[in-house]
Amino acid sequence: MKNYFKLPLCVLASALVMTSCSKDDSNDIETIAPYTVPTTYNFADANYASSTQRVKMALELNSYLGSALTTTITTEKANDYFNNTNNPFTTDATLNTSGVKLADKTADATTFTGYFTQQAANSTKNTVEATNGTAGYVIKGTAKRLVSATGLEYNQAVAKGMMGALFFKEALNILAAVPNDNNTTVTNGTTAMQRHWDEAFGYLSVPVDYDPERTYANTDAIRPLLWGGYLAERGKGIEAGKVIFNAFLKGRAAIGAKDYAVVKEQITIIQNKWEQLVAAAALAYVTIPTNAVSVGDLPTQFHALSEAYGFISCFKYRPASSKLSAADFQKLTATINTNFYTLVNEAGFTKLVEAQTLLKTVYGLN
């Protein structure tokens, strides 16, 4: 794919007076040379190691919090994962000395440390069957979930909430600032604009040769993670993987060619489609509890609502151009903050159906 773009540098000041912004007429037109957009993210000297490291850290933290179903966990250990203290990481021990941590990039950090405390407290009740008002486990068949007194799985609140408060937020904030970055001075092979674009790409967490049509196995060492996984899991119907990955490729190539109009176009595409992906995930999880097959299945219903809780919180970090109004965000938040026992026992699932309708209407979802 090749792109061509011509930028006029001089104009007529008026019909009577001619001015020139260059003494040499040959400099009046700056031509952007044709450039090729690659099919893989193998740009020279691209480095987004810190983004990848934070993804790995989040996954190990999530795994630890999830273990509360069968063992007692501690707030202190969870905070070690969050702050990268006391060498907590074992899946990839190099993370312990990386100089990177989750805490310094996560918005509303005290919200998450509060979740750690709640999950640790709930872990001491993992042998107690939960009821409305009492934390413990809910079970049906082989499905078993550790929930709070209101039905919330705090490990899911952390996992999906941090996908918004760290990865979604950081990627979109970085991209919004990219047009103002320096793209002239080269340090270690790249400009500031290129480095920041790469950092944002890293938070998507997909392989450099990502294929949106491929089904990646959980055993595949090089597979999409976190948001990368949701590109297919909840974003296939809106072609989120294809659109976002291609926009990252085209934008990075355009930076190299100094084709800034295209860079800005790709930023808008990424922002809009990534936010729509958040909405698609939220829609799926406020819908699952209302499906006939899920009625009476508290592990399924509460797990879905816990994921919805996290994904709806992601909207707090949506771009300035978002279609979601402040009032509608508050409606979604109020719904998902309702006691889950109340939500699943409400006649006709009124509140959840309203949330479904809102998300479909605002984001053009089915």
Side-chain angles (χ1 to χ4, degrees):
M1 184 189 307
K2 292 187 177 180
N3 288 296
Y4 301 82
F5 182 68
K6 291 189 176 182
L7 176 69
L9 297 179
C10 301
V11 296
L12 291 176
S14 70
L16 298 177
V17 180
M18 290 186 61
T19 63
S20 173
C21 57
S22 171
K23 292 181 180 178
D24 182 354
D25 289 343
S26 66
N27 291 331
D28 284 356
I29 299 296
E30 179 183 328
T31 301
I32 294 174
Y35 58 96
T36 300
V37 178
T39 57
T40 65
Y41 206 89
N42 282 310
F43 296 96
D45 298 307
N47 185 341
Y48 42 91
S50 63
S51 303
T52 300
Q53 288 164 336
R54 287 191 176 89
V55 169
K56 290 181 178 180
M57 288 176 173
L59 288 169
E60 194 158 345
L61 168 61
N62 296 341
S63 178
Y64 177 69
L65 294 173
S67 72
L69 178 63
T70 56
T71 190
T72 300
I73 67 169
T74 68
T75 303
E76 291 75 19
K77 183 72 171 179
N79 280 318
D80 281 341
Y81 283 109
F82 193 51
N83 294 295
N84 195 5
T85 50
N86 299 315
N87 301 316
F89 299 103
T90 56
T91 303
D92 181 356
T94 65
L95 296 175
N96 296 317
T97 55
S98 64
V100 170
K101 57 185 177 182
L102 297 168
D104 62 351
K105 296 290 186 179
T106 302
D108 302 309
T110 56
T111 295
F112 289 94
T113 55
Y115 292 161
F116 303 162
T117 300
Q118 293 293 335
Q119 184 72 345
N122 289 347
S123 74
T124 66
K125 301 176 182 180
N126 59 19
T127 60
V128 177
E129 189 163 4
T131 59
N132 189 1
T134 303
Y137 67 83
V138 289
I139 188 168
K140 184 169 185 180
T142 59
K144 188 178 181 181
R145 303 287 181 182
L146 181 67
V147 301
S148 73
T150 61
L152 175 64
E153 292 180 67
Y154 277 106
N155 57 307
Q156 289 300 322
V158 171
K160 275 55 182 188
M162 197 173 291
M163 284 172 65
L166 198 169
F167 305 113
F168 177 63
K169 180 264 298 179
E170 279 296 297
L172 266 60
N173 284 354
I174 289 168
L175 291 174
V178 157
N180 297 319
D181 280 337
N182 181 291
N183 194 32
T184 303
T185 304
V186 176
T187 304
N188 296 324
T190 56
T191 65
M193 187 178 287
Q194 290 170 325
R195 288 191 296 276
H196 288 152
W197 190 273
D198 294 339
E199 183 182 358
F201 171 74
Y203 287 126
L204 186 63
S205 193
V206 295
V208 295
D209 60 349
Y210 175 67
D211 180 357
E213 300 304 319
R214 174 182 168 184
T215 299
Y216 290 85
N218 288 334
T219 54
D220 191 339
I222 307 298
R223 66 185 186 279
L225 301 170
L226 295 182
W227 281 118
Y230 276 89
L231 292 172
E233 185 174 345
R234 299 300 173 195
K236 207 167 190 68
I238 58 172
E239 297 189 312
K242 176 182 177 181
V243 172
I244 296 175
F245 185 63
N246 285 346
F248 266 115
L249 292 175
K250 190 171 183 178
R252 184 57 158 80
I255 290 172
K258 295 182 169 51
D259 191 349
Y260 300 123
V262 169
V263 173
K264 291 178 180 178
E265 288 171 359
Q266 304 317 300
I267 290 171
T268 299
I269 289 170
I270 295 168
Q271 290 174 330
N272 291 345
K273 186 57 70 171
W274 203 330
E275 184 184 358
Q276 191 186 31
L277 174 60
V278 174
L283 174 60
Y285 293 118
V286 295
T287 301
I288 288 171
T290 68
N291 293 338
V293 69
S294 300
V295 174
D297 184 347
L298 291 184
T300 295
Q301 290 177 307
F302 287 177
H303 182 67
L305 289 173
S306 297
E307 296 211 51
Y309 182 95
F311 280 117
I312 286 172
S313 74
C314 295
F315 287 123
K316 183 175 181 179
Y317 315 103
R318 63 196 185 280
S321 60
S322 174
K323 296 178 180 178
L324 185 68
S325 70
D328 282 342
F329 173 54
Q330 289 305 315
K331 286 180 186 177
L332 291 172
T333 301
T335 295
I336 207 60
N337 281 329
T338 302
N339 184 308
F340 288 178
Y341 289 92
T342 300
L343 288 176
V344 301
N345 286 298
E346 185 176 35
F349 301 106
T350 302
K351 288 186 177 64
L352 292 177
V353 171
E354 287 177 351
Q356 294 166 22
T357 301
L358 190 159
L359 289 164
K360 290 176 181 178
T361 301
V362 173
Y363 290 101
L365 300 170
N366 299 316

